[in-house]
Amino acid sequence: MNIKEEIDKLIKEHFGEKSELVESILKPSVGIRINENSNSEKLSKFGGLPKVKSSFHLPKNKEYSLLCQLDLSELKAFDVENLLPKEGILYFFIDNSLKNFSEENCSVVFYQKYNSKLDLIYQDQHLNCIYKEVQFDFFEYYSFVSYQENEYLKLGKEIDGNLIDDIMEDILFNTNQIGVGHQILGAPQALQGGVYYHFAHKYLGFKDYNLNERQKNEIAQIQDDFILLLQVDLEDTRFSFSEFNMGVLYFGILKEDLNNLRFDKTVLVFQST
C-alpha cells in the first residue's frame, strides 16, 4: 500500500460519508527526507556552496548564504500536477545577517538551466557564511490545507479539524518527518493558521496589517493563486540554522509568475509558535 492509499484509508475510517469533502483539501506535495549518509551526485541539498554556471552572480547589497538548491529534474517524478519546470536548478538564498525575516530583500531565488553537470562549478563569491551542507531525497507526499485558508473555511463545520490533525500526525510518522517537516508544493503547514494571505500581503508590498478595504480586496484577489515553492522547518536539528529564530520558512510564488519563470518575484514568509 502506497502513501496515498494509506491516507485514503485513514480518511475513510475517520470521516466515512464525508471522505470526499476531506479529500478536497488534501494536496499532492513533494516531501524532503534528510539523508545525512548520502554521497550521491545529486545536486539538491540544504546549505553548502551553490553549484552554478560561471556566469552566476549574487547581488552585493546583502550578506546572502545558500539555504537550499533544488535540481528540478530530480523531483519531477513527484510533481504530479506538473507545476514546476522539468529541468534546471532553483537556488534559495537568505540574508545571514538577519535574526528574523521581516525585512525587505531578506531572500532571493534564482533559476538556472544547465546542459551538463560539467557546466556547473562551486561558487563562493560574496559568501562570508556557509551553512552546513545536508543532502536529501524526494518522496511522494500529501498535505492538508490549513484551517484558516479559504479552501478549508468553505467547508464550514462539516469536518472535525482534530481528526485531520490526527491523520497529519500519522502521515508525518509514516514518512519519518520531524516536526512540521520540509516540503515542496502542496499546502503549507502553517504554524499560525494560514500562509497564503501573508504571501499576498508581502507580494503587494504592504508594510503593516492596518489595511483599508481596497488593500484587503487586493489581497483577497490574489491570495489563493500562490504556490508553495519550498517549506523549511528551521527547528530541524540536523541543520546549522540555529542563529535564526526557530520557526518555519515558506517561499511562495504566484501561478502566473511561476508559468513565466519569474522566480525573482518569489516572496518569503516566516512563522513561529
Side-chain angles (χ1 to χ4, degrees):
M1 186 181 296
N2 62 33
I3 183 173
K4 183 60 168 62
E5 290 171 339
E6 289 180 11
I7 295 170
D8 288 342
K9 182 173 179 290
L10 287 170
I11 291 174
K12 286 183 173 63
E13 288 175 356
H14 284 79
F15 291 97
E17 294 178 354
K18 295 182 179 179
S19 294
E20 217 171 288
L21 285 176
V22 177
E23 288 170 0
S24 72
I25 59 169
L26 180 69
K27 306 300 178 182
S29 311
V30 181
I32 292 175
R33 182 180 290 117
I34 302 299
N35 188 347
E36 295 179 283
N37 299 317
S38 175
N39 292 310
S40 73
E41 295 298 314
K42 292 181 180 179
L43 294 172
S44 299
K45 62 178 183 174
F46 289 113
L49 289 172
K51 201 164 187 182
V52 296
K53 292 195 289 191
S54 59
S55 58
F56 179 85
H57 291 286
L58 268 173
K60 298 181 180 180
N61 61 325
K62 293 279 186 176
E63 297 180 12
Y64 288 117
S65 295
L66 180 68
L67 174 75
C68 181
Q69 70 179 38
L70 301 175
D71 186 338
L72 300 179
S73 69
E74 295 172 3
L75 65 86
K76 63 184 179 182
F78 304 104
D79 177 12
V80 298
E81 296 181 314
N82 298 310
L83 294 172
L84 298 172
K86 300 301 180 189
E87 58 184 6
I89 301 178
L90 277 177
Y91 303 89
F92 298 80
F93 291 88
I94 52 176
D95 184 348
N96 63 67
S97 68
L98 299 179
K99 298 302 180 186
N100 60 64
F101 300 93
S102 60
E103 295 187 24
E104 291 296 316
N105 304 317
C106 64
S107 68
V108 289
V109 179
F110 294 97
Y111 172 67
Q112 277 192 334
K113 288 186 178 181
Y114 67 93
N115 294 319
S116 165
K117 290 183 179 180
L118 297 176
D119 298 335
L120 304 175
I121 59 171
Y122 287 109
Q123 179 64 269
D124 62 358
Q125 58 170 343
H126 315 314
L127 297 179
N128 64 357
C129 175
I130 300 170
Y131 299 122
K132 174 185 175 183
E133 182 171 310
V134 180
Q135 292 187 305
F136 52 77
D137 301 315
F138 300 110
F139 64 95
E140 180 184 8
Y141 191 56
Y142 294 85
S143 50
F144 284 108
V145 173
S146 293
Y147 71 94
Q148 285 189 3
E149 303 291 9
N150 287 335
E151 199 169 351
Y152 192 113
L153 293 173
K154 288 175 184 176
L155 300 181
K157 297 181 180 180
E158 291 289 321
I159 57 177
D160 184 341
N162 291 325
L163 294 179
I164 287 182
D165 290 341
D166 290 343
I167 295 174
M168 199 64 221
E169 286 183 14
D170 284 337
I171 295 173
L172 290 169
F173 178 79
N174 292 337
T175 55
N176 298 314
Q177 293 278 65
I178 297 175
V180 172
H182 318 293
Q183 72 180 67
I184 301 157
L185 304 176
Q189 298 307 287
L191 294 182
Q192 297 178 0
V195 174
Y196 295 122
Y197 179 92
H198 302 289
F199 280 157
H201 183 278
K202 193 158 189 180
Y203 184 87
L204 292 169
F206 298 144
K207 302 303 181 186
D208 57 48
Y209 284 89
N210 184 23
L211 306 178
N212 58 40
E213 287 305 311
R214 178 187 59 80
Q215 292 170 320
K216 291 176 182 177
N217 287 334
E218 287 182 37
I219 288 177
Q221 287 173 8
I222 66 170
Q223 71 179 81
D224 293 333
D225 291 330
F226 276 90
I227 302 291
L228 177 68
L229 268 188
L230 177 66
Q231 171 182 295
V232 181
D233 186 352
L234 295 177
E235 298 192 29
D236 191 327
T237 57
R238 294 167 292 186
F239 293 153
S240 59
F241 304 138
S242 57
E243 67 269 33
F244 296 121
N245 293 334
M246 291 294 93
V248 180
L249 299 177
Y250 309 91
F251 291 86
I253 187 170
L254 273 177
K255 291 177 184 177
E256 182 179 357
D257 291 334
L258 175 57
N259 292 337
N260 293 323
L261 303 182
R262 290 297 309 273
F263 291 102
D264 58 301
K265 302 186 82 171
T266 300
V267 293
L268 170 61
V269 167
F270 169 75
Q271 290 187 353
S272 61
T273 53

